[in-house]
Each structure stands twice: as structure tokens, then as C-alpha cells.
Amino acid sequence: MEIRISSLDTIHDAAREFIQHIGEARVFAFYGKMGAGKTTFVKAICEELGSKDVITSPTFAIVNEYTASSVDDKQQAPIYHFDFYRIKKLEEVYDMGYEEYFYSGALCLIEWPELIEDILPDDAVKVTIEVLTDGSRLVTY
């Protein structure tokens, strides 16, 4: 699947399209260079799922929890947003109890998954965000 984000004005349209194709998947690993728009896209996804929370990168906290008004028609469903950019050792992820998040059935949106690939669930969906020469973004998964 490919979704093109031509500008910030269309990012919510892209997030809605992404959500329409989530299916049964619950863990999404977002790959992309620094500045590709991973956090911005995750923010749009959370907002489209009805979250009224302030969506920011969990760079220092590692994980932020947001509340969606509706995921698969469940009211007040949690969304876990991870940023593993500052992880130095995999033990840090073990210590935070990653299994409770990844296998909870809640939506997990992971930035910088390349740093924890050895422990990603087998069914994690790999999402790549690429900056094109015209400044638009291409989301593939």
C-alpha cells in the first residue's frame, strides 16, 4: 500500500486512509530518516482516531499513552506511541516492560524501530516514510 502526502494540508486525509487499512494489525513500526515526518504522521493518526490528547514525540519518556475515542468501535481505547531514538541498549526496552504494550491488543505506533527490531512482534507492520524530491512524503507499508 502507498499513500502520498503532498503537504501538511493533506496529512489528515492520509491518516484517514491509513486507518482504513489497519485491519487486525495493532503494532506499526515507522521507519524514516530524521525529519521525514514520522511524529507528524503519528499525530495525525491519533487525532483522526479521536484523541484529544496533546500528541508529542516521546523521545525522553520512550512511550506516551493517548486515548482514542474509537478504535474498532471500542470507546476510550489506548494508543501507545513509542520513540526508541535514545535507546542505548535493548535491556532498557526489557526493563520498561515492552511486552505488556506490544501484546496488549492496543494500537502501538513505534518510531525508530530499527533499534529494537530483534524484539518486534512477528506481525508488526513495517511502515516507511520517505521524503521525495518535491518535498512530499510517500508512506509505504
Side-chain angles (χ1 to χ4, degrees):
M1 181 78 190
E2 290 186 352
I3 301 171
R4 188 177 179 124
I5 305 170
S6 57
S7 70
L8 278 177
D9 293 337
T10 64
I11 197 162
H12 283 272
D13 295 332
R16 280 191 296 277
E17 185 176 347
F18 182 84
I19 291 165
Q20 289 173 354
H21 294 95
I22 283 178
E24 298 296 315
R26 287 294 167 259
V27 179
F28 293 85
F30 289 84
Y31 293 82
K33 294 181 179 179
M34 183 76 73
K38 296 180 296 294
T39 301
T40 305
F41 191 55
V42 166
K43 180 177 190 269
I45 292 168
C46 293
E47 290 171 351
E48 288 300 319
L49 289 170
S51 180
K52 303 296 184 210
D53 298 316
V54 175
I55 315 295
T56 60
S57 177
T59 301
F60 294 101
I62 300 177
V63 63
N64 286 344
E65 180 178 345
Y66 312 122
T67 303
S69 62
S70 175
V71 176
D72 289 346
D73 297 322
K74 296 178 190 173
Q75 294 300 314
Q76 302 299 309
I79 302 170
Y80 298 114
H81 178 199
F82 298 85
D83 185 334
F84 290 114
Y85 182 73
R86 298 203 183 280
I87 291 295
K88 301 287 186 239
K89 296 182 286 183
L90 210 48
E91 287 76 25
E92 295 174 62
V93 184
Y94 291 128
D95 291 345
M96 68 172 283
Y98 78 94
E99 304 99 332
E100 291 180 34
Y101 297 102
F102 289 3
Y103 299 101
S104 67
L107 192 60
C108 294
L109 308 173
I110 304 167
E111 295 185 50
W112 299 103
E114 41 281 85
L115 302 174
I116 62 149
E117 281 190 334
D118 291 345
I119 60 171
L120 280 175
D122 292 338
D123 61 351
V125 177
K126 294 184 178 187
V127 181
T128 302
I129 301 178
E130 180 184 359
V131 181
L132 303 178
T133 55
D134 64 359
S136 65
R137 278 27 180 200
L138 184 63
V139 179
T140 56
Y141 57 101

